[in-house]
Amino acid sequence: MLIRTPKSSEIKENQVTDEHVYQNRRQLLKSMGFLGASALLTNQHASASSWFGGGDDETFKTSALEFSQPKHFQSEDVLTPEQKIISHNNFYEFGTGKADPVTNSQSFKVDPWSLTIDGLVEKPITLGYDDLYKGFDLEERIYRLRCVEAWSMVVPWIGFSLADLIKKANPLSSAKYVVFDTLYDPEQMPGQRNRFSGGGIDYPYVEGLRLDEAMHPLTLMSVGLYGKTLPPQNGAPIRLVVPWKYGFKSIKSVVRIRLTDKKPTTTWEQLAANEYGFYANVNPQVDHPRWTQASERRITTGGLFSRNRIATQMFNGYPEVATLYTNMDLRKNY
Ligand code: MTE
């Protein structure tokens, strides 16, 4: 399915659909039996300009996307309200505080964008901004995102399988791992200009997956959430979402995807390998050295400090990925 290519200037005030209207519409469609058919929804909202505070002069504009809603990616979980998803973020390139990304990223330029897939592939490819939305069937997938800091959200992501992207480049049989890089642009990303405000990270932020994890049908390249293109604080224009792993694997604003035969060293392994492993599978039985991972604070409607604590599930409640780790000691390979 082709979709209308969003342009950052397209959204109009009269297209506003706020989050509770979105939720109600979902409920209505569900009760009418529409969700899961290829219901083609166009959900729009104005950018969050009415409430974004912040240091930037301009406010980032998101655009409506068209997408299908496969039944198996719907969920009974209560969605985290949109305002919380787009205002409580980890994106150290824009600062280490939870409110820093939304404050410092509103003038981030995503068009033009360049995403290269190269390394051990037969056919390296480079996608521009428009290509991120064309040539892929965009799907809405409601995934839980469990942060290693023991909070979690339920997000209606929009995107396509990473496998579909990797297949376009024809991986060589020698490829075993996939390495992802975030944009390096200290002019736009204040955290990259200063080691202290950037959390001590040696940028660019790097993440990695085993090739079979990358090819798993749950692994998503996301270009949107709540019906619209991603705002910068959530990783515009394209970010990874691996729902059975801790949130730090879900690298944002990706510019390069490289296939390799060697296990890469990821940003968080570089910073503290004893705390943040390569696998980072959500596992309530393996605690972080400084806190338990047995439960999590689900961010729903109750405010960031509400006591909505629930038990964490193995693989974040995606048991279908267990076969990727047969015969592996998940205490050692944390
Ligand atoms: N990607 C980059 N480039 N920089 C980051 O600091 N933070 C990670 C991940 N991706 C991060 C990143 C962490 S720790 C989490 S929990 C998730 O993004 C948060 O995604 P969200 O803000 O969309 O909830």
Side-chain angles (χ1 to χ4, degrees):
M1 177 186 56
L2 283 184
I3 59 123
R4 182 169 64 84
T5 302
K7 280 283 172 200
S8 49
S9 53
E10 275 179 31
I11 200 92
K12 296 189 183 74
E13 279 303 317
N14 64 2
Q15 293 177 311
V16 173
T17 302
D18 71 20
E19 185 257 324
H20 83 268
V21 176
Y22 184 92
Q23 301 260 21
N24 289 344
R25 189 190 291 163
R26 289 188 60 82
Q27 278 315 112
L28 183 68
L29 285 167
K30 208 168 179 180
S31 63
M32 292 166 73
F34 279 142
L35 280 190
S38 185
L40 198 65
L41 287 187
T42 304
N43 299 286
Q44 288 123 332
H45 89 151
S47 65
S49 52
S50 50
W51 62 274
F52 276 160
D56 295 321
D57 302 348
E58 44 182 304
T59 300
F60 190 87
K61 299 281 188 290
T62 54
S63 304
L65 288 170
E66 290 178 6
F67 48 88
S68 64
Q69 294 179 303
K71 204 169 194 156
H72 52 284
F73 288 128
Q74 300 306 308
S75 163
E76 295 300 315
D77 290 338
V78 176
L79 299 186
T80 297
E82 181 181 3
Q83 282 216 352
K84 289 182 180 164
I85 293 162
I86 64 177
S87 62
H88 179 89
N89 300 98
N90 278 334
F91 198 170
Y92 280 19
E93 286 86 337
F94 292 105
T96 55
K98 299 284 178 262
D100 290 343
V102 63
T103 304
N104 298 329
S105 68
Q106 296 307 295
S107 54
F108 186 55
K109 298 274 173 292
V110 297
D111 183 10
W113 193 261
S114 170
L115 169 61
T116 300
I117 297 95
D118 64 359
L120 297 176
V121 296
E122 225 170 78
K123 212 175 57 169
I125 46 176
T126 297
L127 304 179
Y129 178 77
D130 290 347
D131 303 324
L132 303 179
Y133 309 92
K134 278 190 251 159
F136 297 100
D137 287 339
L138 295 187
E139 294 177 343
E140 183 179 66
R141 300 186 184 181
I142 297 180
Y143 281 168
R144 295 176 283 279
L145 186 74
R146 166 63 156 81
C147 184
V148 75
E149 294 160 330
W151 48 267
S152 63
M153 298 194 182
V154 182
V155 185
W157 301 106
I158 296 162
F160 51 85
S161 286
L162 173 58
D164 292 346
L165 180 55
I166 291 179
K167 278 183 209 151
K168 283 185 197 274
N170 295 349
L172 298 174
S173 58
S174 51
K176 299 281 178 280
Y177 292 92
V178 184
V179 194
F180 305 81
D181 290 348
T182 290
L183 177 71
Y184 182 71
D185 187 351
E187 268 186 34
Q188 291 204 79
M189 295 173 146
Q192 294 180 337
R193 297 199 288 267
N194 177 320
R195 263 190 97 70
F196 180 70
S197 65
I201 289 175
D202 189 11
Y203 290 104
Y205 193 102
V206 174
E207 258 309 335
L209 294 172
R210 246 175 26 200
L211 184 61
D212 58 345
E213 297 177 316
M215 300 303 280
H216 193 279
L218 281 178
T219 306
L220 183 74
M221 291 309 295
S222 171
V223 296
L225 54 76
Y226 264 114
K228 295 142 294 188
T229 51
L230 287 175
Q233 61 273 25
N234 291 95
I238 185 159
R239 56 90 58 87
L240 179 69
V241 183
V242 195
W244 70 95
K245 292 180 181 283
Y246 291 117
F248 65 86
K249 298 299 280 185
S250 292
I251 182 171
K252 295 174 172 177
S253 304
V254 177
V255 291
R256 188 171 181 203
I257 299 177
R258 186 167 50 90
L259 275 66
T260 162
D261 52 1
K262 288 181 197 61
K263 186 153 149 250
T265 305
T266 65
T267 286
W268 286 99
E269 281 181 293
Q270 265 179 45
L271 274 181
N274 64 324
E275 298 192 10
Y276 309 102
F278 176 81
Y279 282 95
N281 290 323
V282 174
N283 188 341
Q285 286 144 33
V286 178
D287 286 340
H288 183 275
R290 289 182 283 140
W291 59 83
T292 173
Q293 294 291 14
S295 65
E296 65 204 54
R297 190 164 47 83
R298 174 65 53 83
I299 298 177
T300 54
T301 49
L304 291 181
F305 301 102
S306 80
R307 279 191 259 153
N308 188 12
R309 248 196 135 79
I310 54 173
T312 291
Q313 297 178 67
M314 188 64 202
F315 299 120
N316 204 21
Y318 299 94
E320 59 268 50
V321 300
T323 50
L324 293 170
Y325 310 104
T326 315
N327 299 328
M328 273 180 73
D329 181 344
L330 296 181
R331 284 189 178 275
K332 283 195 188 130
N333 298 288
Y334 55 88

